[in-house]
Amino acid sequence: MKLKLAVTAIVTALALSSCATSPTGRNQVLLYSEGQLAQMGDQAFTGMKEELKISNKPVQNSYVECVAKAITAQVPASVFDGVWEVVVFDDEQVNAFALPGGKIGVYTGLLNVAQNQDQLAAVIGHEVGHVIAEHGNERMSQSTLINIGTQAVGQVLAANEVSQSGPIMAAIGLGVQVGVQLPFSRTHESEADLIGLQLMARSGFDPRQSVDLWQNMEAASSGNRPMELLSTHPAPQTRIENLKANMSSAFTDFQSSSSRPRCS
């Protein structure tokens, strides 16, 4: 019991000493520094460039870079004040990502679903939104705290010779995944959607196209999605409803923007 109390105190101290607030006003626990995250992002990106085929189509690459440049121009210097590196990977995945340290990757498969510059901007804005909100830091911090807590429970069970400790630990793991990690991931996705919506609008891309994008995503998936409870991402219809609920302010930003990118 003393061990459990000690570990609980450590976890609590870590959480309290690392409190932050996301761009949408949500409380966060961030245990890692910006420098650590940037280094990890650079290492991961270097590895991907070595492992995956990079597109050699100049027009395609210029198009993606044009959209990304317009989006990243809206990123606060406090998040990243350098030149963003944008790479198009020749892969049929319908996906994109952004990493701390100014890295953006777009898979060519996404270009078949994001049918115009505004829809591509919705995806890139969403991915950059993860970086702005430090979701990578938050997820790693959460995993660190969960691992500390889970190890403590395991030691307590072993010390007290609790029967069926294996199934109990397995149940705890499943409970953490369904009850904490999956909803947490869905929260990140929804938050990145809203940050991305704002980014694309301020960059001069039509935010209404974000709804069309997710309709395209749903059609491309052919309905082959896990139930939302067991998914790390909200269902497309949930995302669409959230985007529509925030569309008025985003459209005002769009109309106020002096920028009108012409990426082709």
Side-chain angles (χ1 to χ4, degrees), residues 1-8 148-163 165 168-169 172:
M1 184 59 69
K2 289 182 179 180
L3 174 62
K4 186 174 182 181
L5 291 174
V7 173
T8 299
I148 292 173
T150 302
Q151 289 172 11
V153 173
Q155 291 179 41
V156 169
L157 291 174
N160 290 277
E161 299 182 351
V162 177
S163 62
S165 61
I168 291 173
M169 289 301 295
I172 290 172

Coordinates of all heavy atoms in Angstrom, one line a residue, residues 1-8 148-163 165 168-169 172:
M1 N 0.8 -1.2 0.0 CA 0.0 0.0 0.0 C 0.9 1.3 0.0 O 0.6 2.2 -0.6 CB -0.9 0.0 1.2 CG -1.9 1.2 1.2 SD -2.9 1.2 -0.3 CE -4.0 -0.2 0.0
K2 N 2.0 1.2 0.8 CA 2.9 2.3 0.8 C 3.5 2.6 -0.6 O 3.6 3.8 -1.0 CB 4.0 2.1 1.8 CG 3.6 2.1 3.3 CD 4.7 1.9 4.2 CE 4.3 1.9 5.7 NZ 5.4 1.7 6.6
L3 N 3.8 1.5 -1.3 CA 4.3 1.7 -2.7 C 3.3 2.4 -3.5 O 3.6 3.3 -4.3 CB 4.7 0.3 -3.2 CG 5.2 0.3 -4.7 CD1 6.4 1.2 -4.9 CD2 5.4 -1.1 -5.2
K4 N 2.1 1.9 -3.4 CA 1.0 2.5 -4.3 C 0.9 4.0 -4.0 O 0.7 4.8 -4.9 CB -0.3 1.8 -4.0 CG -1.4 2.2 -5.0 CD -2.6 1.3 -4.7 CE -3.8 1.7 -5.7 NZ -5.0 0.9 -5.5
L5 N 0.9 4.4 -2.7 CA 0.7 5.8 -2.3 C 1.9 6.6 -2.8 O 1.7 7.7 -3.3 CB 0.6 5.9 -0.8 CG -0.7 5.3 -0.2 CD1 -0.6 5.4 1.3 CD2 -1.9 6.1 -0.7
A6 N 3.1 6.0 -2.7 CA 4.3 6.7 -3.2 C 4.2 7.0 -4.7 O 4.5 8.1 -5.1 CB 5.6 5.9 -2.8
V7 N 3.9 6.0 -5.5 CA 3.8 6.1 -6.9 C 2.7 7.1 -7.3 O 2.9 8.0 -8.2 CB 3.6 4.8 -7.6 CG1 3.3 5.0 -9.1 CG2 4.8 3.9 -7.4
T8 N 1.6 7.1 -6.6 CA 0.5 8.0 -6.8 C 1.0 9.4 -6.6 O 0.7 10.4 -7.3 CB -0.7 7.7 -5.9 OG1 -1.2 6.4 -6.2 CG2 -1.8 8.7 -6.1
I148 N 3.7 4.3 -15.4 CA 4.1 4.3 -14.0 C 3.0 3.8 -13.1 O 3.2 3.0 -12.2 CB 4.4 5.8 -13.6 CG1 5.7 6.3 -14.3 CG2 4.6 5.9 -12.1 CD1 6.0 7.8 -14.1
G149 N 1.8 4.2 -13.4 CA 0.6 3.7 -12.6 C 0.4 2.2 -12.8 O 0.1 1.5 -11.8
T150 N 0.5 1.7 -14.0 CA 0.2 0.3 -14.2 C 1.3 -0.6 -13.6 O 1.0 -1.6 -13.0 CB 0.2 0.0 -15.8 OG1 -0.8 0.8 -16.4 CG2 -0.1 -1.5 -16.0
Q151 N 2.5 -0.1 -13.7 CA 3.6 -0.9 -13.0 C 3.4 -0.9 -11.5 O 3.7 -2.0 -10.9 CB 5.0 -0.3 -13.4 CG 5.4 -0.5 -14.8 CD 6.6 0.4 -15.2 OE1 7.3 0.9 -14.3 NE2 6.9 0.4 -16.4
A152 N 2.9 0.2 -11.0 CA 2.7 0.2 -9.5 C 1.6 -0.8 -9.1 O 1.8 -1.5 -8.1 CB 2.3 1.6 -9.1
V153 N 0.5 -0.8 -9.9 CA -0.5 -1.8 -9.6 C 0.0 -3.2 -9.6 O -0.3 -4.1 -8.8 CB -1.7 -1.6 -10.5 CG1 -2.8 -2.7 -10.3 CG2 -2.4 -0.2 -10.3
G154 N 0.8 -3.5 -10.7 CA 1.4 -4.8 -10.8 C 2.2 -5.2 -9.6 O 2.2 -6.4 -9.1
Q155 N 3.0 -4.3 -9.2 CA 3.9 -4.6 -8.0 C 3.1 -4.8 -6.7 O 3.4 -5.6 -5.9 CB 4.9 -3.4 -7.8 CG 5.9 -3.3 -8.9 CD 6.9 -2.2 -8.8 OE1 7.3 -1.9 -7.7 NE2 7.2 -1.5 -9.8
V156 N 2.0 -4.0 -6.6 CA 1.2 -4.2 -5.4 C 0.5 -5.5 -5.4 O 0.4 -6.3 -4.4 CB 0.1 -3.1 -5.3 CG1 -0.9 -3.4 -4.3 CG2 0.8 -1.7 -5.0
L157 N 0.0 -6.0 -6.6 CA -0.7 -7.3 -6.7 C 0.3 -8.4 -6.4 O 0.0 -9.3 -5.7 CB -1.2 -7.4 -8.1 CG -2.4 -6.6 -8.5 CD1 -2.8 -6.8 -10.0 CD2 -3.6 -6.9 -7.6
A158 N 1.6 -8.2 -6.9 CA 2.6 -9.3 -6.7 C 3.0 -9.3 -5.2 O 3.2 -10.4 -4.7 CB 3.8 -9.0 -7.6
A159 N 3.2 -8.2 -4.6 CA 3.6 -8.1 -3.2 C 2.6 -8.7 -2.3 O 3.0 -9.3 -1.3 CB 3.9 -6.6 -2.8
N160 N 1.3 -8.6 -2.7 CA 0.3 -9.1 -1.8 C -0.2 -10.5 -2.2 O -1.2 -11.0 -1.7 CB -0.9 -8.1 -1.8 CG -0.6 -6.8 -1.0 OD1 -0.7 -6.8 0.2 ND2 -0.2 -5.8 -1.7
E161 N 0.5 -11.1 -3.3 CA 0.2 -12.4 -3.8 C -1.3 -12.5 -4.1 O -2.0 -13.5 -3.7 CB 0.6 -13.4 -2.7 CG 2.1 -13.4 -2.4 CD 2.5 -14.5 -1.5 OE1 1.6 -15.2 -0.9 OE2 3.7 -14.7 -1.3
V162 N -1.8 -11.5 -4.8 CA -3.2 -11.5 -5.3 C -3.4 -12.6 -6.4 O -2.7 -12.6 -7.3 CB -3.6 -10.1 -5.8 CG1 -5.1 -10.2 -6.3 CG2 -3.5 -9.1 -4.7
S163 N -4.4 -13.5 -6.2 CA -4.6 -14.5 -7.2 C -5.3 -13.8 -8.4 O -5.9 -12.8 -8.3 CB -5.6 -15.5 -6.6 OG -6.8 -15.0 -6.3
S165 N -3.8 -12.3 -10.8 CA -3.3 -10.9 -11.0 C -3.1 -10.7 -12.5 O -3.2 -9.6 -13.0 CB -1.9 -10.8 -10.3 OG -1.0 -11.7 -10.8
I168 N -6.4 -9.6 -14.0 CA -6.7 -8.3 -13.5 C -5.9 -7.2 -14.2 O -6.4 -6.2 -14.6 CB -6.4 -8.2 -12.0 CG1 -7.4 -9.1 -11.2 CG2 -6.4 -6.7 -11.5 CD1 -7.0 -9.2 -9.7
M169 N -4.6 -7.5 -14.4 CA -3.7 -6.5 -15.2 C -4.2 -6.3 -16.6 O -4.2 -5.2 -17.2 CB -2.3 -7.0 -15.1 CG -1.6 -6.8 -13.7 SD -1.6 -5.1 -13.1 CE -0.6 -4.3 -14.3
I172 N -7.2 -4.1 -16.6 CA -6.8 -2.8 -16.3 C -6.3 -2.2 -17.7 O -6.6 -1.0 -18.0 CB -5.7 -2.7 -15.3 CG1 -6.3 -3.0 -13.9 CG2 -5.0 -1.3 -15.2 CD1 -5.2 -3.1 -12.8

